[in-house]
Amino acid sequence: MRCPGAEALQITPAIWSAMVAHCLAAYPDEGCGLLGGDGERGVARSCYPTTNAAASARIYTVAPVDHLRADRKAEARGESIIGVFHSHTHTDAHPSPTDVDQAPDPSWHYVLVSLRDTHPVVRSYRIVAGTVAEEPVVVVDAVASATTGGGQ
Amino acid sequence: MPEVRLPTVLRSAAGGSSSVTVEGATIGDVLRQLVASYPAMAGQVLTDDGELHRFVNVYVNDDDVRYLDKLDTKVALDDTVSILPAVAGG
């Protein structure tokens, strides 16, 4: 178990797969979704795929109604929304200037899924007051009470 | 009074609470009273011109107020108002 405030994002293989599968399904548009879990410990327990309301290969907008549904499901599971993931279809897994400008919550984890290369690349960042810091993505076999794919 | 559910980014402005109750008969009333009660939310929910900030989405129960009557949307005593950040990027 990580200490509160630890600078890492802990996910299961199932969450990794759910994020990547959703982004591949959204291709050629950017795919996006939300992560539920324990924000203080940096533990993601649920993946909530959402519609990209922008329907674009260059930008994404989490469909507001999907965000509301994910927030309610997370609350019912005793989780919070702790971050967002989205894909970059032709660039690397690093936040774009638009991602940094529009980052909504300094406590969130910002996960990028790059589909540029043959194998998807998943990386995570913290974005606080315009400053980007990468954090390790720790994939563990079991996170207590882990569930996935509950978004839609 | 309507319950207002707060996103994590606004909770510190409300002493860490995930929800608060605020008086108001419309969304505009509720949000103005929210900012009056918790001044650290100023500029994060409403613009300086008193409009709904484009970086938040506000719901009455299941409905996005932008598709209702925006700030004039009626709020009943037992309604739940949810504020969530607009999540977007490139």
Side-chain angles (χ1 to χ4, degrees):
Chain A
M1 190 62 73
R2 303 198 68 83
C3 298
E7 291 297 316
L9 177 65
Q10 188 173 313
I11 64 174
T12 59
I15 290 176
W16 192 98
S17 298
M19 291 192 296
V20 170
H22 180 64
C23 291
L24 286 170
Y27 189 89
D29 289 346
E30 291 193 3
C32 58
L34 298 162
L35 295 173
D38 180 338
E40 284 196 1
R41 294 180 186 276
V43 175
R45 300 189 191 283
S46 301
C47 173
Y48 300 99
T50 61
T51 299
N52 176 3
S56 164
R58 296 184 179 278
I59 58 172
Y60 78 96
T61 299
V62 170
V65 68
D66 289 351
H67 189 172
L68 183 67
R69 288 187 187 128
D71 190 68
R72 292 207 174 142
K73 284 188 180 176
E75 186 186 33
R77 291 170 171 171
E79 304 169 350
S80 299
I81 298 298
I82 67 165
V84 58
F85 68 91
H86 78 280
S87 58
H88 283 175
T89 56
H90 292 92
T91 56
D92 65 11
H94 191 276
S96 66
T98 308
D99 294 331
V100 177
D101 286 346
Q102 300 189 20
D105 189 326
S107 74
W108 275 14
H109 301 260
Y110 294 86
V111 175
L112 271 295
V113 178
S114 173
L115 303 178
R116 182 186 60 184
D117 302 320
T118 304
H119 295 287
V121 175
V122 177
R123 297 168 76 173
S124 184
Y125 301 85
R126 307 305 291 267
I127 302 175
V128 179
T131 299
V132 178
E134 185 169 7
E135 62 180 355
V137 176
V138 181
V139 181
V140 295
D141 283 337
V143 169
S145 305
T147 53
T148 59
Q152 299 291 304
Chain B
M1 288 192 289
E3 178 189 16
V4 181
R5 300 192 57 233
L6 301 172
T8 52
V9 69
L10 292 180
R11 290 177 190 172
S12 61
S17 299
S18 59
S19 69
V20 296
T21 53
V22 176
E23 282 191 56
T26 65
I27 282 292
D29 291 344
V30 167
L31 297 181
R32 285 187 288 271
Q33 186 60 44
L34 181 71
V35 174
S37 301
Y38 306 100
M41 292 186 198
Q44 300 193 69
V45 178
L46 297 170
T47 65
D48 292 344
D49 296 332
E51 297 298 320
L52 189 60
H53 205 298
R54 67 188 179 94
F55 292 142
V56 296
N57 294 310
V58 177
Y59 309 82
V60 175
N61 302 322
D62 293 337
D63 297 316
D64 187 332
V65 303
R66 285 196 174 88
Y67 299 107
L68 299 174
D69 293 324
K70 302 184 174 66
L71 293 180
D72 294 329
T73 303
K74 295 277 189 290
V75 180
L77 291 178
D78 59 350
D79 280 340
T80 299
V81 176
S82 300
I83 302 173
L84 291 173
V87 184

